[in-house]
Amino acid sequence: MSNIESTAKAEVPGDAGVPAPESGQEKPRSLTGDAWDDLRRNWIFWAAAVLVVLVVVMAAFPGLFTSADPGSCALSRQHQGPSGSAIFGYNFQGCDVYARTVHGARNSVLIGLFATIIAGLIGLVVGMAAGYFGGWIDALLARGIDIVLGIPTLLAAIVLARRLSADPQNSGFWAVVFTLGVLTWTTGARIMRSSVISAKNQDYVAAARMLGASPARLMFRHILPNAAAPFVVVLTILLGVNIATEATLTFLGVGLRGNAISWGIDISTAAPYVRETATPLVWPSVFLALTVLAFIMLGDAIRDAFDPRLR
């Protein structure tokens, strides 16, 4: 056998003449797989994720962090310093600052979560409709987004929340949720619109359309899964912003009130006594700042991981 024939047989193994795959060849990875590889090497993502998990667990199960009753107050303990029974001390009403800070996470997180869900649903519907149908529907919805963006968010939230919670017996919880939900959906709608416009021109959408897929099936089965990543990132950041906005509204007296417990209420009630003792003001502020920062950092890390321009 000649050297040429030997070389040919070595390069084309088997009877079918198909080259054998290389032993070290890697399988192609999806965008999600690449993003996860970036995220697991990002310490900012892990730090933010740990903080978010701690806050969520604190909001869901405050009894794991303290056994003290946040509503148990005694004026004899007014402005007492930290001790073994109250590691953050007592406020001007003699309430345990640590217990109120831990229990205050629930209302703050729930309001931010529900408001973000409402904003997400509105943004999803408006953004998908504008991006998929285009034409006059896109123009009409885009002008609606511009109108809402032109309204000062904090000023509109103050007016709307005050109107919705006019009943003095109302704690203001759902009023704040609805207010934030209907005022903060515009960014998500814009992101979803641009993602849908980009996704609907892909070949797999054209193939599904040629096979007779209905508009609803195209939008929710083929376009939405491939356009949702930037939208989810925006909602993650928005959750932190809504938590901060709720605290701002409560501090200004148009958010939660009455017997409700939240970081905004504790910051508002402790502010006049900051010269006497700063502890009741500092700790709710620290927990609020860390929570908002955690959600924003988490959203930024996910956005960077899913952005192909940063690869």
Side-chain angles (χ1 to χ4, degrees), residues 107-280:
N107 277 329
S108 297
V109 171
L110 285 179
I111 287 177
L113 178 62
F114 289 146
T116 303
I117 290 174
I118 294 176
L121 291 176
I122 298 175
L124 177 66
V125 173
V126 173
M128 288 199 67
Y132 181 81
F133 294 107
W136 66 270
I137 296 179
D138 183 19
L140 180 63
L141 294 177
R143 298 294 77 76
I145 294 174
D146 293 338
I147 292 174
V148 177
L149 282 173
I151 302 174
T153 303
L154 184 58
L155 179 60
I158 292 173
V159 174
L160 186 57
R162 187 183 296 275
R163 180 66 184 88
L164 292 176
S165 59
D167 184 3
Q169 303 298 325
N170 187 355
S171 66
F173 182 93
W174 292 110
V176 177
V177 168
F178 180 78
T179 298
L180 296 180
V182 299
L183 292 176
T184 59
W185 56 270
T186 50
T187 302
R190 280 189 162 185
I191 295 296
M192 177 55 68
R193 173 183 175 273
S194 61
S195 298
V196 170
I197 291 175
S198 176
K200 76 175 184 178
N201 295 321
Q202 300 299 319
D203 293 338
Y204 62 86
V205 177
R209 186 182 293 111
M210 293 177 61
L211 291 174
S214 63
R217 182 179 178 83
L218 288 174
M219 285 191 290
F220 293 101
R221 182 68 181 272
H222 299 283
I223 296 178
L224 181 59
N226 295 280
F231 184 68
V232 172
V233 172
V234 170
L235 294 186
T236 304
I237 298 175
L238 180 61
L239 178 54
V241 173
N242 282 337
I243 292 175
T245 307
E246 177 274 323
T248 303
L249 293 176
T250 301
F251 180 83
L252 295 175
V254 294
L256 295 178
R257 58 174 181 264
N259 296 325
I261 301 175
S262 78
W263 293 329
I265 289 178
D266 289 347
I267 294 172
S268 177
T269 55
Y273 305 94
V274 66
R275 291 189 176 182
E276 299 181 26
T277 178
T279 303

